[in-house]
């Protein structure tokens, strides 16, 4: 506590921090970015290992034999799907019953707030079919889920076939201690949302669904299967769920362990891992894999059907079969064996998966970076905000003299009115609220008066409100309290910087990637904006570092990482569709990214915009 | 000054009424930071239901409020929202009047001292001016009514608001110098939650000064006043406890209310220090640490009384803070009460050392509570350690805040007697260090 009570040492420290503020801030920013880039360097990461004893030590033998039959079932399913033109409910019920499951159906309907142009749906009606294999060896208090989406077109027929094949095979085995639920969901995430809400008796998004007639125990883990070809070259695991939530790392470890055992190529983010970590290309490969995970996590959307399970405290992942041009192919029997093995290990669980990490990034499937390693990268960025706040505070408290000790303070300067700070704060938040509310409310009016579709109307309103916000607030503070003073902007900046620090801190705790990406662009703005800078140049810099442009850059960057670079024209269209998808994710599944940006981050950025144009 | 105060009251009531109507009210009423097992409205409703069924409300382990509260709401349950808003208004007005009166006395005392030339010459800038003091009562009312903590607590219908009203009435009557009413309100506050017992000391010190009784254990007048006050206090406590007994017809409430407060059986997480510690502890140490933790709340009374016997109102502020930090089931409503007093000590700002750090930490903690709760309970990805870390930080910040004010107060007093610009023996500028 010496530092807090000894005035001499405090004074020395504070004068050091204020004198060297700018260099320290620059250094912190640089160090933060370097730290983050270093995370993908293999010697700095940890090898994954199985933490859960119940899954680690016991050996299981996988004997699933009937891959060919599963494919035949898949073909039959495809034929019925084509005939009905959607989910072949009757056929599925009959087939599942024939395999000895308790079969139930659930119908649901949902009208989207505006049409989804990517998936071409607006008024969605569908049916989920699920069969429960009751556990013969234990009280039926726990359950596992295997799901496969019934997708339009020729997709995923093999997944449903394999699911039915596994159901048939599991039925004949006696060692199941947990109910196993085989779920075929229609309209991918919407169906999944309906089923999960109904299973847990909640309704968070105002969807209509019929209540479930049959239930298993509390769900411990879930796997979602996507398989669109008869043979595959590799299996990909998708972990990122709603709001950037990740399943327990043990689930990924389990997948990796079985892939190794059975000899299937396994990938994460669609990328194989390489062994040449010490070469430049090997390192850049790891960085790209990690960046893909960061971008996907930051988007806050579920990247597979498993994404919604995580909200209910259920560890879940999507396993996706990929068929590329490699020589070495794996057949469905092997995939079946892999799933069988994973389910048997999950069946052995004595409690929920909790031993391993929940906060991690993966530069490859065999290595991970835990929260203790990646948080300093964010911390170094956040520290800049605190240093700036300290600097401003010192300037405010004692314009000419030292501030650490009470002696030597002059009498209170004419403090700026509360109004001059409150007005920009309120107006920015009102603009943010408009950005959140207006797009969906005014789509009908916009469609009537302009030649655009509903989706375009929503996206264009978002962009319009966003741009209008730039013009609006920077003159309004003069309306109420006359001339802004030198002290005034300092107080406003102090408030804004602290607000941003708390906001980014909370965001990074819930969704590290989002917090880090926002910090990367917003922290420089927050650190260096003052009214005494060349206006045009700083305005351009500020706009380029605003949340909307961050999203635009992210879209292009993501396409680069996916190795599907786009032209500017296509990129712009993609950008528009990403905005509409973000809004839809919020209304359909309760993703928090859109409200966070609209109600908090954007107003916070507007405060800095205000400071730049302070008069 | 009446116009701004009434405007403030209207604004405060409007905010609360609007929040009662919104969907947020339900969410807030569930927050562990805002309601404790004692003050939760849900539990009061449960107690009322039991009472209506003719069962003792204390059967089962749900209801832990005092009998008077349950009989109060027996009549007022339909007007609960109005009652809680009224309680906040009463608290604010009582604090307003109390601080106004207190400031008058401070100013009068200062005037005498200045006229008697008791202050050193270079202390003129430490002397408080009436213009500066004019808005302090209003600021106090504002700090209480517009504090988000108070608003949350009121919207959650936490009975903490009623306790605060009683406490503020006690402060008002004490500062007005009314011995009987002061004793009665203090007894009501004690009856509600035991801990205000320690406020006995500042109240007696203040009233003695008010009636020119010397604070000197060798004088008979001192002891006579002590006996008088304690008689009134204990007498009304006796009456009120007996009244509760006759209302309920049993002594059930004693273990269920006071036993519950003292032995801390409910370890629901809150912003206090007890829950995590006692959840982690081996059972056979429990009694020992229970005593340590509970004595901790009461213990500070003795040294603080000795140090601050001439400034009982500051002592009262310190005691309120200590209670709200160390009590067994603290909520943000308790914190709000002592935070309302901060404007009274605004003249200490120049001597505060960590106010920036502390306010940043308090701000960050308030935002992090719900975030880490979400990660722990809903997402399942964090655990109780994360939440407790924030609790700990929140309390450390509060302790730093209070000790900073304590230091600043003592330092100002020191400067008022020794002069503002202290010199070392060799003539260089001296600094004061708290060690």
């Amino acid at each position: 506590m010496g530092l807090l009570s000894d005035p001499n040492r405090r004074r020395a420290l504070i004068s050091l921090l204020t004198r060297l503020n700018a260099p320290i801030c620059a250094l912190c920013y640089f160090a933060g970015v370097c730290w983050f880039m270093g995370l993908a360097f293999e010697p700095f990461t940890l090898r994954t290992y199985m933490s859960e004893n119940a899954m680690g030590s016991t050996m299981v033998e996988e004997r699933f034999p009937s891959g060919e039959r599963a494919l035949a079932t898949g073909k039959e399913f495809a034929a019925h799907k084509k005939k009905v033109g959607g989910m072949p409910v009757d056929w599925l019920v009959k087939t599942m019953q024939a395999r000895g499951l308790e079969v139930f159906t659930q119908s649901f309907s949902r009208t989207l707030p505006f049409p989804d142009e990517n998936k071409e749906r607006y008024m969605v009606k569908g049916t989920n079919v699920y069969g429960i294999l009751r556990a013969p060896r234990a009280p039926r208090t726990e359950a596992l889920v295997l799901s496969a989406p019934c997708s339009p077109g020729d997709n995923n027929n093999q997944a449903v076939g394999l699911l039915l094949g596994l159901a048939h095979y599991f039925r004949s085995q006696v060692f199941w201690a947990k109910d196993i639920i085989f779920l075929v969901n229609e309209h991918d995430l919407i169906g999944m949302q309906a089923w999960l809400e109904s299973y847990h008796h909640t309704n968070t998004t105002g969807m209509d669904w019929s209540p479930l007639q049959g239930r298993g125990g509390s769900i411990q883990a879930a796997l979602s299967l996507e398989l669109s070809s008869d043979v595959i070259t590799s299996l990909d695991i998708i972990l990122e769920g709603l709001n950037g939530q990740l399943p327990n790392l043990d689930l990924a470890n389990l997948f990796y362990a079985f892939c190794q055992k059975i000899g299937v190529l396994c990938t994460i983010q669609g990328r194989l891992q390489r062994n040449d970590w010490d070469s430049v290309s090997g390192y850049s490969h790891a960085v790209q894999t990690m960046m893909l995970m960061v971008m996907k996590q930051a988007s806050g959307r579920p990247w597979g059907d498993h994404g919604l399970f995580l909200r209910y405290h259920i560890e879940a992942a999507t396993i996706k079969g990929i068929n590329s041009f490699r020589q070495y192919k794996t057949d469905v029997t092997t995939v079946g064996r892999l799933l069988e093995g994973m389910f048997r290990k999950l069946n052995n669980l004595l409690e929920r998966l909790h031993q391993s990490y929940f906060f991690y990034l993966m530069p490859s499937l065999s290595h991970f970076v835990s929260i203790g390693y990646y948080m300093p990268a964010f911390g170094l960025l956040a520290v800049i905000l605190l240093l700036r706040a300290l600097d401003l505070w010192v300037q405010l408290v004692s314009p000419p003299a030292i501030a650490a000790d009470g002696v030597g303070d002059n009498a209170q300067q004419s403090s700026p009115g509360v109004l001059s700070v409150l007005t920009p704060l309120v107006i920015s938040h009102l603009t943010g609220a408009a950005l959140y509310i207006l797009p969906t409310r005014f789509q009908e009016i916009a469609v009537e008066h302009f030649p655009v579709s509903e989706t375009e109307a929503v996206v264009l309103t978002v962009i319009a409100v966003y741009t209008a916000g730039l013009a609006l607030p920077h003159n309004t503070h003069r309306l109420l309290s006359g001339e802004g003073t030198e002290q005034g902007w300092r107080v406003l900046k102090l408030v804004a910087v602290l607000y941003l620090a708390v906001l980014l801190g909370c965001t990074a705790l819930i969704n590290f990637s989002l917090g880090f990406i926002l910090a990367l662009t917003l922290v420089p703005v927050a650190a260096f904006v003052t009214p005494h800078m060349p206006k045009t140049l700083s305005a351009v810099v500020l706009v380029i570092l605003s949340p909307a442009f961050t999203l635009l850059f992210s879209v292009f960057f993501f396409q680069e990482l996916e190795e599907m670079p786009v032209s500017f024209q296509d990129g712009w269209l993609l950008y528009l569709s990403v905005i509409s998808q973000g809004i839809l994710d919020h209304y359909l599944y309760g993703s928090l990214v859109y409200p966070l940006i609209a109600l908090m981050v954007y107003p916070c950025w507007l405060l800095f915009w205000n400071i730049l144009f302070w008069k | 000054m009446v116009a701004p105060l009434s405007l403030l009251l209207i604004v405060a009531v409007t905010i609360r009424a609007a929040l009662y109507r919104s969907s947020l009210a339900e969410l807030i009423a569930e927050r562990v930071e805002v309601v404790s097992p004692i003050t939760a409205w849900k539990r009061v409703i449960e107690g009322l239901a039991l009472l209506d069924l003719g069962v003792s409300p204390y059967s089962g382990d749900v209801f832990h409020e005092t009998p008077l509260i349950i009989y109060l709401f027996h009549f007022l349950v339909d007007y609960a929202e109005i009652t809680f808003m009224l309680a906040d208004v009463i608290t604010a007005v009582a604090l307003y009047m109390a601080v106004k009166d207190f400031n008058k006395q401070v100013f009068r005392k200062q005037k005498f001292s200045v006229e008697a030339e008791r202050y050193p010459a270079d202390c003129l800038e430490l002397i408080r001016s009436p213009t500066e003091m004019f808005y302090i009562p209003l600021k106090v009312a504002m700090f209480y009514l517009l504090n988000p903590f108070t608003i949350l607590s009121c919207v959650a219908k936490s009975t903490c608001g009623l306790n605060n009203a009683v406490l503020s009435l006690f402060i008002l009557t004490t500062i007005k110098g009314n011995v009987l009413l002061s004793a009665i309100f203090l007894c009501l506050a004690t009856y509600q939650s035991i801990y205000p017992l320690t406020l006995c000391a500042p109240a007696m010190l203040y009233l003695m000064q008010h009636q020119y009784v010397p604070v000197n254990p060798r004088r008979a007048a001192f002891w006579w006043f002590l006996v008088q006050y304690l008689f009134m206090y204990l007498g009304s406590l006796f009456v009120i406890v007996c009244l509760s007994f006759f209302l309920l017809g049993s002594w059930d409430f004693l273990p269920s209310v006071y036993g519950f407060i003292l032995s801390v059986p409910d370890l629901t997480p809150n912003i206090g220090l007890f829950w995590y510690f006692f959840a982690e502890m081996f059972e056979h140490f429990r009694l020992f640490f229970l005593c340590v933790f509970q004595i901790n709340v009461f213990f500070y009374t003795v040294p603080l009384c000795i140090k601050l016997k001439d400034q009982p109102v500051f002592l009262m502020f310190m005691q309120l803070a200590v209670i709200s930090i160390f009590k067994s089931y603290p909520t943000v409503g308790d914190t709000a009460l002592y935070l309302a007093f901060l404007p009274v000590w605004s003249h200490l700002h120049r001597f505060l050392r960590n106010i920036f750090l502390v306010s940043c930490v308090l701000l960050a903690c308030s935002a992090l509570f719900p975030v880490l709760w979400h990660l722990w309970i809903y997402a399942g990805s964090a655990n109780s350690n994360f939440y407790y870390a924030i609790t700990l930080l929140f309390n450390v910040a509060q302790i730093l805040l209070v000790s900073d004010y304590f230091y600043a107060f003592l330092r100002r007093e020191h400067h008022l007697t020794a002069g503002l610009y202290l010199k070392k023996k060799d003539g260089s500028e001296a600094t004061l260090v708290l060690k």
Side-chain angles (χ1 to χ4, degrees):
Chain A
M1 296 303 278
L3 201 59
L4 290 179
S5 57
D6 183 346
N8 294 326
R9 265 187 279 171
R10 283 165 61 92
R11 199 178 305 165
L13 182 72
I14 287 175
S15 74
L16 184 77
L17 285 183
T18 44
R19 205 152 27 86
L20 296 178
N21 206 290
I24 294 179
C25 287
L27 192 70
C28 279
Y29 190 81
F30 183 67
V33 174
C34 284
W35 188 295
F36 181 73
M37 296 310 285
L39 290 178
F41 191 50
E42 203 172 298
F44 297 160
T45 58
L46 295 172
R47 255 198 105 72
T48 50
Y49 55 92
M50 190 76 81
S51 302
E52 176 63 57
N53 282 329
M55 293 199 310
S57 55
T58 47
M59 294 300 291
V60 292
E61 214 177 324
E62 310 85 25
R63 290 182 175 164
F64 177 69
S66 44
E68 291 306 316
R69 228 180 111 190
L71 284 180
T73 323
K75 289 208 179 74
E76 206 178 326
F77 170 74
H80 280 91
K81 188 162 88 173
K82 204 172 243 170
K83 203 166 76 190
V84 184
M87 181 101 157
V89 178
D90 295 333
W91 180 83
L92 265 175
V93 169
K94 219 165 59 198
T95 322
M96 281 191 180
Q97 267 165 351
R99 279 158 176 72
L101 306 178
E102 285 178 36
V103 189
F104 306 95
T105 59
Q106 181 210 22
S107 55
F108 59 89
S109 69
R110 175 84 161 100
T111 308
L112 272 54
F114 55 89
D116 182 352
E117 290 190 343
N118 281 25
K119 289 181 177 159
E120 290 171 353
R121 55 189 184 190
Y122 181 48
M123 308 229 296
V124 179
K125 256 192 171 62
T127 315
N128 294 325
V129 180
Y130 64 103
I132 306 177
L133 168 63
R134 295 294 179 186
R137 279 193 46 168
R140 293 150 182 181
T141 52
E142 294 178 337
L144 302 171
V145 173
L146 177 63
S147 80
C150 167
S151 324
D154 272 341
N155 289 329
N156 264 336
N157 297 329
Q158 285 83 352
V160 177
L162 183 55
L163 177 126
L164 292 170
L166 281 171
H168 183 63
Y169 176 67
F170 285 1
R171 179 75 175 84
S172 62
Q173 292 176 316
V174 290
F175 37 65
W176 299 111
K178 295 176 171 51
D179 292 345
I180 300 179
I181 302 175
F182 296 91
L183 167 67
V184 180
N185 54 315
E186 205 178 355
H187 299 297
D188 48 70
L189 283 162
I190 297 183
M192 194 54 99
Q193 168 92 351
W195 190 80
L196 278 169
E197 284 195 342
S198 186
Y199 198 92
H200 295 97
H201 286 299
T202 54
N203 197 339
T204 47
T205 48
M207 185 189 276
D208 290 323
W209 34 256
S210 60
L212 296 186
Q213 298 301 321
R215 264 195 191 73
S218 91
I219 303 173
Q220 304 291 303
L223 290 178
S224 178
L225 191 62
E226 286 179 24
L227 204 60
S228 301
S229 57
D230 291 354
V231 283
I232 55 158
T233 50
S234 61
L235 281 177
D236 189 48
I237 185 165
I238 304 171
L239 300 169
E240 300 85 2
L242 188 69
N243 290 327
Q245 215 180 328
L246 300 169
N248 194 292
L249 187 57
D250 267 344
L251 202 63
N253 295 341
L254 184 69
F255 171 76
Y256 181 60
F258 268 100
C259 284
Q260 298 292 89
K261 183 180 173 193
I262 294 182
V264 185
L265 280 181
C266 51
T267 60
I268 187 162
Q269 320 298 353
R271 282 157 184 266
L272 286 169
Q273 65 179 33
R274 293 165 55 154
N275 295 323
D276 52 342
W277 56 267
D278 44 355
S279 71
V280 175
S281 67
Y283 169 70
S284 91
H285 184 81
V287 169
Q288 285 175 13
T289 314
M290 190 181 73
M291 285 312 291
L292 268 172
M293 180 159 187
V294 167
M295 301 305 268
K296 284 186 180 175
Q297 200 189 7
S299 75
R301 59 184 321 197
W303 284 82
D305 279 2
H306 73 285
L308 298 171
F309 280 97
L310 298 170
R311 177 195 278 164
Y312 300 93
H313 216 319
I314 300 165
E315 307 315 320
T318 296
I319 294 175
K320 190 176 178 180
I322 293 175
N323 192 12
S324 65
F325 303 108
R326 261 173 225 284
Q327 283 292 312
Y328 181 75
K329 306 271 185 193
T330 311
D331 62 351
V332 174
T333 313
T334 319
V335 180
R337 279 171 52 211
L338 181 115
L339 286 169
E340 185 201 352
M342 286 181 73
F343 267 85
R344 287 203 47 191
K345 288 257 182 165
L346 289 171
N347 184 48
N348 288 341
L349 281 181
L350 296 175
E351 42 189 336
R352 278 177 194 279
L353 286 172
H354 67 280
Q355 299 273 9
S356 195
Y357 296 84
F358 284 96
F359 298 104
Y360 53 85
L361 295 174
M362 299 190 93
S364 72
L365 201 48
S366 62
H367 286 83
F368 74 102
V369 184
S370 76
I371 183 167
Y373 288 82
Y374 68 60
M375 262 308 174
F378 175 79
L380 283 167
L381 295 188
V383 140
I384 297 175
L385 296 176
L386 298 183
L387 282 175
R388 295 307 298 178
L390 182 76
D391 188 36
L392 283 167
W393 173 259
V394 170
Q395 283 174 19
L396 277 172
V397 169
S398 60
I402 26 114
D405 212 345
V407 183
D409 277 9
N410 288 338
Q412 286 246 318
Q413 288 242 326
S414 57
S415 62
V418 183
L419 276 183
S420 71
V421 177
L422 211 57
T423 321
L425 212 61
V426 170
I427 288 178
S428 325
H429 279 91
L430 287 181
T431 320
L435 182 61
Y436 176 66
I437 295 166
L438 290 189
T440 43
R441 286 286 161 83
F442 284 111
Q443 46 168 317
E444 284 102 9
I445 301 173
V447 168
E448 262 175 44
H449 293 281
F450 300 101
V452 287
S453 72
E454 277 99 342
T455 318
E456 280 168 342
V458 170
V459 175
L460 293 179
T461 322
V462 169
I463 295 175
V465 176
Y466 192 94
T467 323
L470 303 189
L472 186 80
H474 70 267
N475 281 320
T476 35
H477 63 88
R478 281 184 300 176
L479 275 179
L480 275 164
S481 54
E483 289 287 288
T485 56
E486 194 68 359
Q487 294 277 321
W489 73 262
R490 290 219 169 91
V491 175
L492 181 61
K493 190 173 168 187
L494 181 65
V495 171
V497 164
L498 287 179
Y499 179 27
L500 185 66
V502 171
L503 181 64
L504 289 180
C506 292
T507 312
L509 271 177
I510 294 180
N511 184 346
F512 166 77
S513 305
L514 183 61
F516 188 79
I517 290 178
L518 286 176
L520 218 51
T521 52
L522 287 177
V523 165
V525 171
F528 293 107
V529 70
T530 62
H532 309 302
M533 294 176 10
K535 288 277 185 297
T536 341
L537 181 68
S538 359
V540 169
V541 171
L542 218 62
V543 167
I544 284 179
L545 292 176
S546 80
F549 273 82
T550 312
L551 180 62
L552 184 65
F553 297 143
S554 303
V555 168
F556 281 104
F557 186 51
F558 184 72
Q559 291 300 322
E560 284 293 324
L561 286 174
E562 291 266 81
E563 288 162 2
M564 290 186 289
V566 285
S567 67
F568 187 78
Q569 196 67 33
D570 294 344
W572 176 252
L573 289 177
L574 197 60
Y575 177 63
L576 298 184
S577 89
V578 163
I579 295 176
S580 73
Q581 290 298 312
I583 299 174
L584 271 179
D585 280 347
H586 171 57
Y587 286 105
L588 287 181
Y589 319 121
S591 151
L592 291 175
V593 176
Y594 172 56
L596 177 84
I597 301 285
L599 296 174
M600 307 280 225
V601 178
Y602 174 61
C604 193
W605 180 84
L606 276 183
L607 289 179
F608 295 110
W609 184 255
N610 247 308
I611 292 166
L612 181 66
F613 292 99
W614 189 270
K615 279 182 193 138
Chain B
M1 286 299 276
V2 177
L5 183 65
S6 20
L7 186 70
L8 175 67
L9 294 180
I10 289 167
V11 169
V13 168
T14 316
I15 292 174
R16 285 160 171 76
L19 279 174
Y20 275 129
R21 295 283 159 270
S22 75
S23 56
L24 285 174
E26 248 173 79
L27 189 77
I28 295 170
E30 295 286 321
R31 299 296 318 168
V32 287
E33 298 89 3
V34 182
V35 296
S36 72
I38 298 180
T39 60
W41 178 245
K42 221 166 59 176
R43 292 175 184 248
V44 176
I45 293 289
E46 179 72 18
L48 278 174
L50 288 176
L51 192 70
D52 286 343
L53 289 172
V55 186
S56 160
Y58 298 102
S59 56
D61 192 33
V62 175
F63 181 69
H64 298 289
E65 260 296 353
T66 52
L68 280 193
I69 288 286
I70 198 165
Y71 275 96
L72 176 74
F73 283 113
H74 192 64
F75 301 110
L76 290 179
V77 71
D78 295 333
Y79 309 101
E81 295 176 2
I82 297 176
T83 315
F84 282 104
M85 289 197 272
L86 200 65
D88 272 9
V89 167
I90 290 174
T91 315
V93 173
L95 288 179
Y96 175 85
M97 286 159 65
V99 169
K100 202 169 181 179
D101 220 49
F102 171 65
N103 270 349
K104 256 185 221 156
Q105 293 168 26
V106 168
F107 190 68
R108 200 181 311 135
K109 209 185 267 175
Q110 182 182 283
K111 207 170 111 192
F112 287 141
S113 303
V114 170
E115 279 167 7
E117 292 185 358
R118 221 174 285 158
Y119 294 143
D122 58 352
C123 279
L124 277 179
E125 50 181 285
L126 286 186
I127 287 171
R128 307 174 64 193
S129 66
T131 47
E132 169 218 341
M133 288 162 81
F134 184 68
Y135 285 108
I136 285 178
L138 192 67
K139 277 187 196 162
V140 169
M142 198 154 85
F143 256 59
Y144 187 75
L145 281 179
L146 300 186
N147 187 339
F149 288 167
T150 327
I151 296 175
L152 288 178
S153 176
C154 180
V155 172
K157 297 189 212 162
S158 155
T159 51
C160 176
L162 301 178
N163 297 356
N164 284 352
V166 173
L167 274 171
S168 64
L169 284 174
F170 153 72
I171 292 166
L172 175 66
T173 47
T174 311
I175 285 180
K176 290 277 181 195
N178 192 324
V179 182
L180 179 64
L181 280 180
S182 155
I184 289 177
F185 279 118
L186 181 59
C187 133
L188 270 174
T190 316
Y191 171 77
Q192 279 294 327
S193 65
I194 300 188
Y195 296 110
L197 180 70
T198 58
L199 292 174
C200 222
M204 281 193 286
L205 283 172
Y206 184 89
L207 290 169
M208 279 184 209
Q209 281 177 19
H210 196 261
Q211 303 190 350
Y212 305 107
V213 179
V215 186
N216 184 348
R218 274 178 236 142
R219 300 283 286 274
F222 171 78
W223 291 106
W224 175 234
F225 184 85
L226 208 72
V227 168
Q228 259 183 328
Y229 191 82
L230 284 181
F231 178 74
M232 283 187 264
Y233 172 62
L234 294 176
S236 40
L237 202 58
F238 179 72
V239 169
I240 215 165
V241 169
C242 288
L243 186 68
S244 310
F245 170 70
F246 291 126
L247 279 174
L248 276 181
S250 80
W251 292 110
D252 279 355
F253 69 95
L254 283 182
S256 201
V257 178
Y258 305 114
F260 188 77
I261 293 174
L262 289 176
S263 69
V264 203
D266 190 320
L267 299 178
T268 315
N270 56 29
I271 58 168
L273 298 165
F274 277 68
W275 64 273
Y276 187 85
F277 204 83
F278 284 93
E280 294 286 309
M281 194 183 306
F282 290 120
E283 198 56 35
H284 49 276
F285 292 128
R286 192 182 160 88
L287 184 64
F288 172 70
F289 278 103
L290 207 54
C291 296
V292 172
F293 269 62
Q294 296 288 7
I295 288 170
N296 188 34
V297 190
F298 298 99
F299 181 74
Y300 297 103
T301 318
V302 181
L304 284 176
C305 275
I306 294 168
K307 192 73 202 170
L308 292 172
K309 66 175 188 294
D310 298 327
Q311 282 86 18
V313 175
F314 190 75
L315 176 58
M316 216 180 271
F317 160 74
M318 292 292 294
Q319 287 289 336
L320 282 175
V322 166
I323 290 172
S324 84
I325 296 168
F326 293 117
K327 73 190 282 192
S328 47
Y329 301 103
T331 60
V332 290
D334 298 305
T335 314
L337 183 64
Y338 84 82
L339 286 183
F341 273 91
L342 295 186
V344 182
W345 322 116
S346 58
H347 57 287
L348 301 178
H349 272 232
R350 54 185 299 159
F351 298 119
L352 290 177
R353 299 161 305 166
N354 301 322
I355 188 74
F356 176 66
L357 180 75
V358 168
S359 31
C360 284
V361 172
L362 285 180
L363 192 80
C365 285
S366 313
L368 284 175
F369 274 129
V371 168
L372 289 173
W373 181 262
H374 169 85
L375 284 181
W376 173 23
I377 301 296
Y378 294 104
S381 36
N383 53 38
S384 58
N385 300 328
F386 288 59
Y387 191 77
Y388 184 64
I390 290 305
T391 316
L392 212 55
L393 197 60
F394 186 70
N395 283 303
V396 167
Q398 286 191 81
I399 292 166
L400 266 182
L401 179 77
V402 173
S403 54
D404 212 14
Y405 268 93
F406 185 53
Y407 165 83
F409 190 85
L410 290 182
R411 181 155 170 205
R412 180 170 179 272
E413 294 299 313
H414 181 76
H415 280 309
L416 281 180
T417 52
L420 187 53
Y421 297 103
L422 304 172
K423 297 279 186 239
K424 279 187 196 161
K425 274 178 193 145
D426 55 1
S428 62
E429 191 185 320
T431 47
L432 286 180
V433 179
L434 190 70
K435 275 189 175 158

